[in-house]
Amino acid sequence: MSAIVGVYHFDGEPIRIEECKNVMKTMQKFPADDVQTWTNRNLFLGCHAQWITPESVGEVLPYYDYELKMAITADVIIDNRVELFDRLQVGKFLRKDITDSKLILLAYEKWGEEAPKYLVGDFAFMIWDEKRQLLFGARDFSGTRTLYYYNDGSKFAFSTIIEPLFSISNISKKLNDQWLAEFIAIPVTTDSISTETTVYNNIKQLPPSHTIKVENGRINIRQYSKFDYSVKLKLKSNGEYEEAFKEVFNTAVVDRLRTHRSVGAHLSGGLDSGSVVSFAAKALKEKKKRLHTFSYVPVDDFVDWTHRYRVANERPLIESTVNFVGNINDKYLSFSDTNPYSEIDDWLQTLEMPYKFFENSFWLKGIYEQASSQGVGLLLNGQRGNWTISFGPALDYYGRLLRQFKLSSLYKEVNLYSKNIGVKKSRIMKFVSRKAFPEIARLSNSKNQESFPIWINPEFASRTKVFEKLEEQEIDISGTNTTDAYHIKDNQFKQLHFWGLNGTIGTKLSLRHSLWERDPTNDIRVVQFCLSVPDEQFVQSGLDRALVRRATNGLLPDDIRLNQKSRGVQGADGVYRMIGSWKVFIDELYNLLKDPKLSSFVNNELLAKYIKRIETDYTPRLIFEFEFRILMRSLILYRFLNKIEGR
């Protein structure tokens, strides 16, 4: 794992040593096991390396291969090493000493620009092909690792983080109005629908699933990977589907345990992280290693105000998983001295851009800090699980049955589902009807359900045409989530902007704390498998998320595996934590109303109304209310603008 950088002068002008020093100096804030650079007249490559896998220990990056006449700098963990070695006909006695970056070079030598198609793992890399006099690079299919770049026609520069690019002369920090408009207008945590732009005009990023080629002063970017929706799995029985699932998922988990350091995992009380932990703990036991789990819990005196179907303190459920699975050292962390407000500046420094996920910011950062302090090199999670291993929206599936007039199947399923969740069939059918006939549901929601307020400055919105652009991309600006779950799932894997945020957070936190976040539910093999599974495997016998529930029989306790009555909710105590600093918080909100720069982006009149509304009302319920969310996002944007302008 590494932070990589590079500068290439198209006109042949030699690289200046001072320029290299300035670029590398910006990364000194990160821990490193090794720091190396490589230059070849008008080309500079650098690497700030953190050794995570056994093969990376002692690895020299950038690496120049004299036989292949290629140089590489890479931020990479490759998971399908055995498969690649077999395809490349590498002798078994040589494999142990071959690093992942060397493996990429061998793949590039054989398959050229098609090489990324054969790679499974998390990666961003750049190769200097001396024979062809070009730079070639790629980013993994979901953008798990970031790769930013700058091009002005005379020089090309790239980096894992943005800051090194600004150390190069004549690169300004001019903000990108379109990115900011989308950041403000999109209700969910997605930053922007553009996968190439960033918050800065001059800084681009390589989109997920894309390659980049820099040759003769020209840049060519091409998508190399798309999911095949036409491939459908046809097995004989439920048991065969369950076994096939366990095989592909176990491979994904085991491949992500490759480290000479300790292995950790985020663990909540749900199915996704529980499944990851169950498979990981079993595999680690065979290696005589224990799994270290880290779980967020609310502060001790917090009173759960959430709906009875929600659980703010998941500790009892987590302990059930831990006790059932075994081979786990579990930690429960409340981070009582932190809150969403206290962590803003730190997150802005880490992410290099504004963000929206403040509700979970304090505990997410805290878990990284705790894991790093315990020598953890890999931190597992199940973030993508809702759309892969545990997909299975019962109401949406039943809505499809109703639209298709499969009434016998519908009656049977709803009857079982009603018994499982303890809700009357008539009430379930009310929701099923809305799913079956979304046009009618949308009319009803427009009358009864509050939409996410539009807090962008109207003139700014008009100038950037942001709403027209979002409408073209079918982005819901209401925040009411009436869209069919199957349609949302398709978009998760077709529209690349859904992937970017997790990669940005994971990459930058990992560099700061010298550990790598890894998600087996996001493995490309797992994704393709789950896309090939028939819908009826995901909803069956009154069970939503049915495939993973059946497949983890004996691997997870039944109170987790079969729980359809409640779900955990993280960050519910966020406002409660802020009570001691509420006056300071409100004072800063009033100050931001006076900022002319911010007011050019946001609707000050709306913000003033919302500040007045919450000034003396600091009920814990505010944490998920529209008014509080908009004020927190405004404050984060305000701090970011001040930070950029040095005010």
Side-chain angles (χ1 to χ4, degrees):
M1 180 179 77
S2 311
I4 61 174
V5 292
V7 181
Y8 180 41
H9 291 170
F10 295 139
D11 56 9
E13 179 185 349
I15 296 290
R16 294 181 292 107
I17 294 177
E18 194 62 29
E19 187 174 42
C20 300
K21 288 181 178 179
N22 289 339
V23 170
M24 298 304 293
K25 186 177 180 180
T26 60
M27 296 190 294
Q28 288 180 356
K29 59 188 175 184
F30 301 128
D33 294 300
D34 192 31
V35 177
Q36 297 286 342
T37 61
W38 180 87
T39 56
N40 184 11
R41 187 174 168 77
N42 62 324
L43 173 67
F44 156 71
L45 301 177
C47 184
H48 194 90
Q50 297 173 344
W51 296 335
I52 302 296
T53 64
E55 296 81 9
S56 68
V57 177
E59 178 182 17
V60 176
L61 276 175
Y63 166 72
Y64 180 77
D65 190 298
Y66 288 92
E67 182 179 346
L68 298 178
K69 300 295 182 184
M70 297 176 192
I72 184 171
T73 189
D75 178 23
V76 56
I77 293 182
I78 297 297
D79 294 321
N80 63 329
R81 283 171 60 90
V82 174
E83 177 194 4
L84 288 173
F85 285 140
D86 290 342
R87 283 178 174 268
L88 296 168
Q89 298 182 326
V90 176
K92 291 187 177 181
F93 63 95
L94 296 174
R95 298 180 180 187
K96 185 178 180 181
D97 296 325
I98 293 180
T99 63
D100 288 345
S101 56
K102 172 68 173 180
L103 191 51
I104 291 175
L105 282 185
L106 295 176
Y108 177 74
E109 181 195 25
K110 181 175 178 62
W111 296 301
E113 295 174 23
E114 300 299 308
K117 291 182 179 180
Y118 297 89
L119 306 177
V120 176
D122 304 341
F123 58 81
F125 65 84
M126 292 294 292
I127 294 171
W128 169 243
D129 188 333
E130 191 173 294
K131 295 176 183 177
R132 297 172 61 195
Q133 289 291 292
L134 62 83
L135 278 171
F136 175 79
R139 193 174 172 198
D140 66 72
F141 86 98
S142 67
T144 309
R145 310 303 291 179
T146 52
L147 189 63
Y148 302 100
Y149 68 91
Y150 165 83
N151 174 44
D152 65 4
S154 63
K155 75 176 66 164
F156 169 82
F158 66 87
S159 177
T160 301
I161 58 173
I162 295 174
E163 187 179 355
L165 299 177
F166 288 128
S167 69
I168 301 171
S169 58
N170 300 320
I171 299 183
S172 69
K173 288 188 176 182
K174 185 178 180 181
L175 295 174
N176 183 339
D177 281 353
Q178 190 63 46
W179 191 97
L180 287 168
E182 292 172 19
F183 175 86
I184 297 169
I186 298 173
V188 294
T189 54
T190 300
D191 293 327
S192 167
I193 59 173
S194 172
T195 55
E196 278 197 65
T197 61
T198 72
V199 68
Y200 298 106
N201 258 343
N202 292 329
I203 307 299
K204 309 293 184 184
Q205 61 178 322
L206 184 64
S209 301
H210 279 66
T211 62
I212 183 168
K213 181 169 68 173
V214 184
E215 183 179 24
N216 296 325
R218 294 189 298 272
I219 294 177
N220 179 264
I221 293 175
R222 180 177 65 90
Q223 186 168 354
Y224 68 83
S225 173
K226 291 183 180 180
F227 287 104
D228 186 353
Y229 284 76
S230 65
V231 177
K232 293 299 178 182
L233 194 61
K234 295 181 180 180
L235 301 178
K236 295 179 181 179
S237 66
N238 283 348
E240 289 190 6
Y241 281 105
E242 293 155 22
E243 289 304 314
F245 167 82
K246 285 191 283 189
E247 181 179 352
V248 70
F249 187 59
N250 186 65
T251 298
V253 173
V254 172
D255 284 347
R256 282 165 173 74
L257 303 178
R258 187 165 57 95
T259 181
H260 61 283
R261 294 161 61 181
S262 296
V263 178
H266 291 267
L267 181 58
S268 69
L271 266 176
D272 296 327
S273 64
S275 297
V276 171
V277 162
S278 175
F279 281 78
K282 181 180 178 181
L284 287 171
K285 188 174 183 179
E286 295 175 1
K287 300 179 181 180
K288 297 182 179 180
K289 295 179 71 172
R290 291 180 70 85
L291 179 65
H292 300 263
T293 62
F294 303 88
S295 304
Y296 149 76
V297 293
V299 289
D300 291 340
D301 54 353
F302 173 69
V303 178
D304 191 354
W305 56 267
T306 59
H307 191 278
R308 67 181 185 275
Y309 294 129
R310 291 289 191 173
V311 180
N313 187 351
E314 297 182 84
R315 181 164 184 159
L317 295 171
I318 297 168
E319 289 177 335
S320 179
T321 295
V322 169
N323 294 332
F324 187 90
V325 171
N327 196 43
I328 293 173
N329 291 341
D330 50 328
K331 269 193 171 294
Y332 304 89
L333 306 160
S334 63
F335 312 109
S336 57
D337 295 331
T338 64
N339 60 62
Y341 181 62
S342 68
E343 303 307 297
I344 293 175
D345 285 340
D346 201 54
W347 269 105
L348 288 175
Q349 182 179 0
T350 298
L351 291 178
E352 307 177 287
M353 62 187 69
Y355 64 94
K356 302 177 184 177
F357 55 92
F358 62 86
E359 300 96 333
N360 298 322
S361 60
F362 61 93
W363 65 261
L364 183 60
K365 170 177 169 279
I367 283 179
Y368 266 84
E369 292 172 346
Q370 283 288 320
S372 177
S373 69
Q374 292 189 31
V376 168
L378 299 175
L379 190 62
L380 304 174
N381 67 58
Q383 288 183 348
R384 192 64 60 178
N386 283 341
W387 305 108
T388 57
I389 68 168
S390 66
F391 184 70
L395 297 178
D396 293 85
Y397 180 68
Y398 299 156
R400 288 191 166 193
L401 292 180
L402 180 57
R403 283 201 307 274
Q404 296 164 3
F405 291 99
K406 295 181 179 179
L407 301 183
S408 177
S409 297
L410 175 62
Y411 176 81
K412 178 182 176 182
E413 280 290 336
V414 170
N415 187 49
L416 291 170
Y417 188 64
S418 171
K419 292 178 180 178
N420 287 339
I421 67 173
V423 174
K424 291 181 179 180
K425 286 182 285 186
S426 59
R427 181 168 175 77
I428 293 172
M429 283 305 303
K430 181 179 179 180
F431 289 102
V432 171
S433 299
R434 292 177 181 176
K435 293 292 185 179
F437 308 107
E439 296 80 10
I440 298 174
R442 273 191 284 272
L443 288 174
S444 175
N445 284 332
S446 66
K447 297 176 182 178
N448 302 319
Q449 189 168 351
E450 185 181 1
S451 296
F452 197 89
I454 296 175
W455 57 290
I456 190 171
N457 182 306
E459 293 181 4
F460 183 49
S462 176
R463 176 163 55 84
T464 57
K465 298 182 179 179
V466 64
F467 291 122
E468 293 88 336
K469 187 173 181 180
L470 295 180
E471 185 178 358
E472 288 174 4
Q473 297 296 319
E474 299 182 6
I475 302 299
D476 176 23
I477 63 169
S478 71
T480 54
N481 293 322
T482 58
T483 308
D484 177 75
Y486 291 91
H487 182 67
I488 297 175
K489 178 187 176 184
D490 286 347
N491 285 341
Q492 284 285 325
F493 302 108
K494 290 179 179 177
Q495 297 186 10
L496 297 178
H497 64 263
F498 282 106
W499 303 91
L501 181 61
N502 286 350
T504 301
I505 296 171
T507 298
K508 296 180 180 182
L509 279 180
S510 71
L511 289 174
R512 182 171 180 176
H513 300 290
S514 191
L515 59 86
W516 193 298
E517 183 178 85
R518 310 233 57 205
D519 182 3
T521 69
N522 188 48
D523 184 290
I524 193 169
R525 298 163 295 190
V526 171
V527 174
Q528 188 63 71
F529 172 84
C530 291
L531 291 176
S532 73
V533 171
D535 290 342
E536 58 268 22
Q537 285 295 318
F538 290 111
V539 181
Q540 191 179 108
S541 302
L543 286 176
D544 62 6
R545 311 166 81 185
L547 180 57
V548 71
R549 293 187 193 276
R550 301 193 322 262
T552 53
N553 186 18
L555 300 174
L556 284 175
D558 284 352
D559 60 336
I560 303 299
R561 187 176 68 87
L562 301 178
N563 175 27
Q564 294 189 99
K565 295 183 178 180
S566 65
R567 299 191 72 171
V569 55
Q570 285 84 40
D573 62 340
V575 165
Y576 181 76
R577 293 165 174 266
M578 291 174 56
I579 291 175
S581 55
W582 198 255
K583 185 181 184 305
V584 177
F585 168 62
I586 295 296
D587 287 346
E588 187 172 5
L589 288 176
Y590 276 119
N591 282 335
L592 68 80
L593 293 177
K594 304 172 187 176
D595 189 303
K597 181 67 173 177
L598 181 68
S599 64
S600 67
F601 296 128
V602 302
N603 185 336
N604 260 16
E605 186 176 331
L606 185 71
L607 298 189
K609 182 173 71 173
Y610 287 170
I611 296 170
K612 197 71 176 175
R613 188 175 299 175
I614 73 163
E615 186 171 0
T616 57
D617 178 21
Y618 35 80
T619 171
R621 294 174 181 270
L622 278 178
I623 188 66
F624 301 128
E625 295 292 330
F626 287 159
E627 295 92 339
F628 182 74
R629 285 183 173 179
I630 286 173
L631 290 173
M632 279 295 292
R633 292 180 184 186
S634 300
L635 180 56
I636 290 167
L637 180 57
Y638 167 71
R639 292 258 193 106
F640 173 77
L641 295 174
N642 282 342
K643 181 181 176 67
I644 294 305
E645 297 185 3
R647 292 182 290 175

